[in-house]
Amino acid sequence: MDQTEVRDRIVNDHGRLRERLAEIETLADRFEKGGTEVGEELREHGTAFCEVFAAHLSFEDAQLSPILHAIPTRGPDLADRLAREHCEQRELLYFLVGRLEQENRPTTLIARELRSFCEDIRADMTHEESTLLRAVPNPS
């Protein structure tokens, strides 16, 4: 896969991830406004998102990181930043999956945690697109 294909795939993945984040936030809003009937659906969407997002992180690690490392001067710093961000995101994923699997936890807390997670992931994707992906050179 060349650099353009990697960049395009990541941007497309981010678009699909944003759609899933919006679904989770909508369910969290409904739940917090008293729509307790969506509690199980919220858990299911949250768990499914975590699986898809983990696969996306692995793709970026395998495909984007080597491209960043090869960029003269600042590439290794960008790749290191990506690695640190992914480490933090994986820690959050493991935490959330654990919470989602604990049926006895109050779903209101899970709804709030998911909403916060959605905001963080959305901000990280925007950052990746505006800095890391823009640093990827276009093949000549």
Side-chain angles (χ1 to χ4, degrees), residues 13-55:
D13 282 359
H14 284 182
R16 286 190 293 279
L17 291 169
R18 284 183 176 97
E19 289 172 7
R20 287 176 172 255
L21 291 172
E23 291 169 0
I24 291 168
E25 288 170 321
T26 298
L27 290 169
D29 286 343
R30 284 179 52 199
F31 184 85
E32 288 184 278
K33 291 178 181 172
T36 55
E37 73 281 356
V38 299
E40 187 57 33
E41 189 177 0
L42 178 60
R43 286 177 193 270
E44 290 169 5
H45 275 69
T47 301
F49 179 84
C50 288
E51 292 170 8
V52 170
F53 188 63

Side-chain angles (χ1 to χ4, degrees), residues 50-140:
C50 288
E51 292 170 8
V52 170
F53 188 63
H56 173 74
L57 293 178
S58 294
F59 175 81
E60 286 186 349
D61 289 343
Q63 298 294 323
L64 180 59
S65 185
I67 292 169
L68 293 174
H69 267 291
I71 297 171
T73 311
R74 61 182 252 215
D77 290 336
L78 294 173
D80 289 345
R81 182 175 181 159
L82 179 70
R84 284 191 310 273
E85 288 172 357
H86 284 184
C87 182
E88 290 175 9
Q89 289 168 343
R90 282 187 175 92
E91 287 178 20
L92 282 171
L93 279 175
Y94 297 141
F95 172 78
L96 276 176
V97 168
R99 298 281 289 187
L100 289 165
E101 290 173 348
Q102 295 174 356
E103 294 293 329
N104 62 342
R105 294 280 185 186
T107 308
T108 300
L109 293 177
I110 293 171
R112 290 178 185 151
E113 289 167 349
L114 283 170
R115 181 188 322 286
S116 176
F117 179 71
C118 289
E119 292 169 6
D120 290 345
I121 297 306
R122 189 175 283 111
D124 284 343
M125 288 189 300
T126 299
H127 172 278
E128 272 184 14
E129 292 164 358
S130 67
T131 58
L132 301 179
L133 294 181
R134 286 183 191 236
V136 174
N138 287 317
S140 301

